[in-house]
């Protein structure tokens, strides 16, 4: 048995939710002021995911970079690996918002897309 | 001098200016000019590449550039005129706007109404008085953000960040993901000024330590930052002698607050509020000069761009109503006073009667983090509003609606809004 704590971020209150993990299952959830806290803790404990917003290089654009993001959250543990993949990319201006920069990054079934238009220099 | 005239001139093409122009247009004002000093519209949103914008306004989570682009497209769809790379030098009380750019030279623009939407700027090392040498490697967090996210430079490899507001937290994550090591985020207050979500997703996710009640008391290095001395502070935020320790780093990022950028407002003679750093406005965001409006971070620093949009649409609508002669003044103006544990309230005055208005929203900020409080509005001795709030944080703005009927029924010329501990 292990006592764990996760702060719920479903709303600005930020409840500190305590729970026990027994044989890979979450038990005795305490401290959440609403049911959202329970759902949040279960996802955050077993499979925490995050949207990754970053940039990639662009040739001949009005700026040397264009911002991008993963269209959906990807597993938290893949964030740094995804950064390394994105560092290899160099686009050519013009770029359109929504252009796919990397399809199915790291086999997550999630695309990385540009988040703005970037005109040619 | 190149002379021009417009019904409405909007100064600043960031989220505030764009929303204000769009709304004024939709209310029937077609002769609008937006003046922007950068080479493109969008303002600070263009460098805020992280997600978390738009949940209130669009009901979906967008990045800063995506949020900006929606408004840029809607302004373009309406054919609203825009001057980029143009710097406004002066606004007069008579609403003459003097501006300059490299294609048209000096411009004298006669405006019937002006919306101030210049945003804010960052406090600097000088503003918080950190002693020590003056080496390269000390940046405001927003400057570093622009370098990393738009210009393609990483400002350093080993950073210390002062200030745990949202910009500081977000820059900790950006520096880390771009390959720099972030040694610590220091916060002089005993609590973080940032959203809990950012503390978790920007610091905890990457094991970046947040050190509360600590600050930098000396910067070391001659050509380049070589490290900083960090001290713990007491309850009065004064460094405690003997608690100093050294942290090696080549970069110091400062995220120590934002200041509404009101040089133009002051020169125009607009009265400012020392609590917000922005103009004193009425409920339609009109300043002390009739026909000059203010919205967004030039008025008060907002935590969410969604609220900037809301406020700027209001300013745009009021400007349109003013131009169309649709506003009546109340007989008595009502002063809105920030009382106990309220650091400020916007608007500071209620002065207008507007036919189709249903309510007036008061935006306020708590002075300190509190739990189980009541927000109370008093009209003289009479209680106008009383609502329980479970948690109040200075970082999160509170909105209190006043119905038109409540305003009509006011007895005094002053209402006070305060935050009181439950049971007190």
């Amino acid at each position: 048995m292990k006592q764990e704590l996760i702060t719920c971020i479903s709303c600005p209150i930020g409840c500190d939710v305590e729970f026990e993990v027994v044989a890979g299952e979450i038990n005795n959830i305490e401290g959440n002021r609403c049911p959202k806290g329970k759902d949040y803790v279960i996802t955050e404990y077993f499979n925490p995911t995050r949207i990754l917003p970053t940039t990639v290089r662009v040739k001949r654009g009005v700026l040397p970079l264009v911002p991008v993001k993963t269209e959906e959250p990807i597993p938290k543990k893949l964030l740094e690996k995804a950064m390394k993949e994105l560092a290899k990319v160099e686009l050519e201006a013009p770029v359109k918002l929504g252009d796919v920069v990397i399809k199915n990054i790291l086999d997550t079934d999630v695309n990385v897309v540009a988040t703005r238009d970037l005109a040619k220099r | 001098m190149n002379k021009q005239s417009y019904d409405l001139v909007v100064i600043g093409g960031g989220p505030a200016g764009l929303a204000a122009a769009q709304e004024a247009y939709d209310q029937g004002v077609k002769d609008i000019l937006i003046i922007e000093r950068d080479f493109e519209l969008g303002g600070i949103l263009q460098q805020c590449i992280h997600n978390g914008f738009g949940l209130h306004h669009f009901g979906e989570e967008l990045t800063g550039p995506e949020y900006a682009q929606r408004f840029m497209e809607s302004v373009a769809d309406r054919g609203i005129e825009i001057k980029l790379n143009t710097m406004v030098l002066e606004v007069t009380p008579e609403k003459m706007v003097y501006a300059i750019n490299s294609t048209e030279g000096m411009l004298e623009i006669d405006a019937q109404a002006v919306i101030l939407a210049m945003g804010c700027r960052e406090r600097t090392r000088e503003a918080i008085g950190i002693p020590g040498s003056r080496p390269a490697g000390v940046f405001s967090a927003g400057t570093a953000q622009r370098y990393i996210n738009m210009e393609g430079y990483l400002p350093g490899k080993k950073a210390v960040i002062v200030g745990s507001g949202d910009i500081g937290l977000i820059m900790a994550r950006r520096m880390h993901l771009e390959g720099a090591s972030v040694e610590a985020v220091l916060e002089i207050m005993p609590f973080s000024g940032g959203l809990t979500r950012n503390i978790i997703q920007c610091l905890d996710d990457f094991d970046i330590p947040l050190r509360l009640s600590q600050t930098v008391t000396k910067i070391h290095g001659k050509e380049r930052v070589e490290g900083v001395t960090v001290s713990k502070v007491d309850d009065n935020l004064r460094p405690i002698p003997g608690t100093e320790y050294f942290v090696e780093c080549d970069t110091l990022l400062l995220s120590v607050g934002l200041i509404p950028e009101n040089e133009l407002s002051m020169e125009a003679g607009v009265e400012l509020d020392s609590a917000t750093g922005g103009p004193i406005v009425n409920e339609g965001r009109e300043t002390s000069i009739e026909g000059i409006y203010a919205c967004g971070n030039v008025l008060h620093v907002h935590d969410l761009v969604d609220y900037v949009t809301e406020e700027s649409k209001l300013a745009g609508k009021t400007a349109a109503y003013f131009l169309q002669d649709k506003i009546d003044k109340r007989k008595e103006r009502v002063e809105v006073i920030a009382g106990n544990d309220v650091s400020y309230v916007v608007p500071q005055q209620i002065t207008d009667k507007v036919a189709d208005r249903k309510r007036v929203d008061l935006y306020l900020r708590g002075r300190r983090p509190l739990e189980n409080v009541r927000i109370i509005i008093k009209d003289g001795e009479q209680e106008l509003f009383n609502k329980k709030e479970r948690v109040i944080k200075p970082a999160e703005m509170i909105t209190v609606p006043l119905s038109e009927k409540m305003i009509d029924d006011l007895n005094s010329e002053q209402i006070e809004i305060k935050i009181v501990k439950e049971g007190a």
Side-chain angles (χ1 to χ4, degrees), chain B residues 1-288:
Chain B
M1 198 164 356
N2 185 336
K3 293 191 182 185
Q4 306 183 358
S5 71
Y6 290 89
D7 287 346
L8 174 62
V9 171
V10 178
I11 304 174
L18 294 174
Q22 179 198 312
E23 182 66 19
Y25 185 94
D26 290 349
Q27 294 293 339
V29 180
K30 306 297 176 197
D31 188 30
I32 304 177
L33 172 68
I34 300 174
I35 304 179
E36 168 56 48
R37 67 182 168 189
D38 205 347
F39 80 98
E40 62 178 357
L41 295 174
I44 207 70
L45 284 175
Q46 298 287 18
Q47 69 183 56
C48 300
I49 64 165
H50 51 281
N51 53 305
F53 302 90
L55 278 168
H56 291 264
H57 189 71
F58 291 114
E60 59 182 305
E61 195 172 1
L62 303 172
T63 64
E66 288 170 312
Y67 193 100
Q69 192 161 325
R70 291 202 180 184
F71 280 93
M72 288 157 68
E73 283 168 4
S74 85
V75 163
D77 288 346
R78 286 164 177 77
I80 294 173
E81 203 176 319
I82 295 153
K83 288 187 196 297
L84 298 173
N85 297 305
T86 304
M87 187 76 185
V88 173
L89 303 174
E90 191 187 348
V91 179
T92 73
E94 296 76 31
K95 297 183 278 288
M96 290 297 257
V97 178
Y98 294 92
I100 193 163
N101 67 38
S102 59
T103 53
E104 297 170 289
M106 183 81 183
L107 298 163
E108 183 184 78
I109 304 166
D110 189 355
Q112 300 305 306
V114 173
I115 296 180
L116 305 170
M118 294 89 76
C120 61
R121 61 164 174 260
E122 298 180 275
R123 294 176 77 208
T124 60
R125 172 181 178 180
E126 286 66 32
I128 58 167
I130 303 176
S133 52
R134 300 177 58 88
V138 182
F139 301 90
S140 65
T143 303
Q145 189 180 42
R146 188 171 173 103
Y147 281 148
I148 297 176
N149 293 347
M150 295 181 76
E151 301 189 7
Y153 302 107
L154 188 61
K157 296 206 168 72
K158 210 173 194 190
V160 168
I161 298 177
V162 176
S164 67
D166 290 312
I167 310 170
L169 300 176
I170 281 178
M171 285 315 295
R173 174 173 64 183
R174 278 303 285 155
M175 292 286 288
H176 173 88
L177 284 174
E178 289 295 345
S181 101
V182 180
E183 300 300 296
V185 175
L186 309 173
E187 172 58 57
I188 194 166
M189 302 298 285
F191 54 87
S192 164
L195 300 171
T196 309
R197 165 184 142 130
N198 283 334
I199 294 172
I200 292 165
Q201 299 196 348
C202 298
L203 302 187
D204 297 357
D205 275 5
F206 308 106
D207 297 319
I208 298 169
L210 171 62
R211 300 198 179 132
L212 300 174
S213 297
Q214 297 192 17
T215 193
V216 167
T217 45
K218 190 173 179 185
I219 297 172
H220 304 263
K222 194 165 172 240
E223 300 298 323
R224 177 80 197 189
V225 173
E226 287 164 14
V228 292
T229 299
V230 178
S231 302
K232 293 184 179 154
V233 300
D234 63 19
D235 293 345
N236 299 316
L237 311 182
R238 296 192 183 283
I240 304 168
T243 62
E244 303 88 356
Y245 63 97
F246 180 78
V247 181
E248 193 191 303
C249 61
D250 62 16
T251 304
L252 182 65
L253 299 191
L254 302 174
S255 173
V256 292
L258 301 168
I259 315 164
E261 194 162 344
N262 276 291
E263 280 69 21
L264 290 173
S265 326
M266 282 190 278
E267 196 147 0
V270 164
E271 273 178 58
L272 300 189
D273 178 345
S274 60
T276 57
I280 293 172
V281 290
N282 75 2
E283 73 277 25
R285 301 303 184 266
E286 187 178 52
T287 66
S288 58

Side-chain angles (χ1 to χ4, degrees), chain A residues 7-9 12-14 33 40 44 49-55 62-69 76 79-80 83 97 113-117, chain B residues 39-40 46 49-51 61-63 65-66 69 73 148-152 173-174 176-178 196-197 200-201 205-206 371 390-391 393 396:
Chain A
T7 306
C8 175
I9 56 168
I13 294 176
R33 278 170 248 201
Y40 177 80
E44 185 67 12
T49 61
R50 302 283 186 263
I51 295 227
L52 175 63
T54 181
T55 56
V62 289
L63 291 167
L65 299 173
V66 69
V68 301
K69 69 173 183 185
K76 190 173 105 176
L79 291 177
E80 302 192 10
M83 286 296 290
L97 190 150
V113 294
T115 56
R116 64 166 282 177
D117 291 353
Chain B
F39 80 98
E40 62 178 357
Q46 298 287 18
I49 64 165
H50 51 281
N51 53 305
E61 195 172 1
L62 303 172
T63 64
E66 288 170 312
Q69 192 161 325
E73 283 168 4
I148 297 176
N149 293 347
M150 295 181 76
E151 301 189 7
R173 174 173 64 183
R174 278 303 285 155
H176 173 88
L177 284 174
E178 289 295 345
T196 309
R197 165 184 142 130
I200 292 165
Q201 299 196 348
D205 275 5
F206 308 106
E371 283 185 27
R390 253 185 348 206
V391 176
K393 294 178 182 173
E396 285 164 22

Side-chain angles (χ1 to χ4, degrees), chain B residues 306-361:
Chain B
D306 303 71
Y307 297 145
V308 168
T309 299
E310 194 177 300
E311 176 173 272
S312 305
K313 285 178 73 174
L314 176 58
K317 184 176 175 180
T318 315
Y321 278 21
F322 164 76
L323 291 168
Q324 295 156 352
D325 218 1
K326 280 195 206 165
I327 296 175
D328 292 319
K329 291 284 164 195
R330 289 172 57 91
K331 265 200 232 91
E332 314 282 354
R333 75 158 53 165
V334 178
E335 303 282 336
V336 186
I337 308 292
N340 187 58
D341 273 324
V342 175
S343 63
Y344 73 73
V345 56
V346 172
Q348 294 89 344
Q349 301 169 346
I350 300 173
T351 67
D352 294 352
K353 284 194 81 66
V354 184
D356 62 350
R357 189 172 72 189
K358 303 228 165 30
R359 61 168 213 273
V360 166
D361 286 333

Side-chain angles (χ1 to χ4, degrees), chain A residues 6-21:
Chain A
I6 287 178
T7 306
C8 175
I9 56 168
S10 305
C11 87
I13 294 176
C15 297
D16 285 331
V17 185
E18 290 188 74
F19 54 95
E20 290 166 5
V21 182

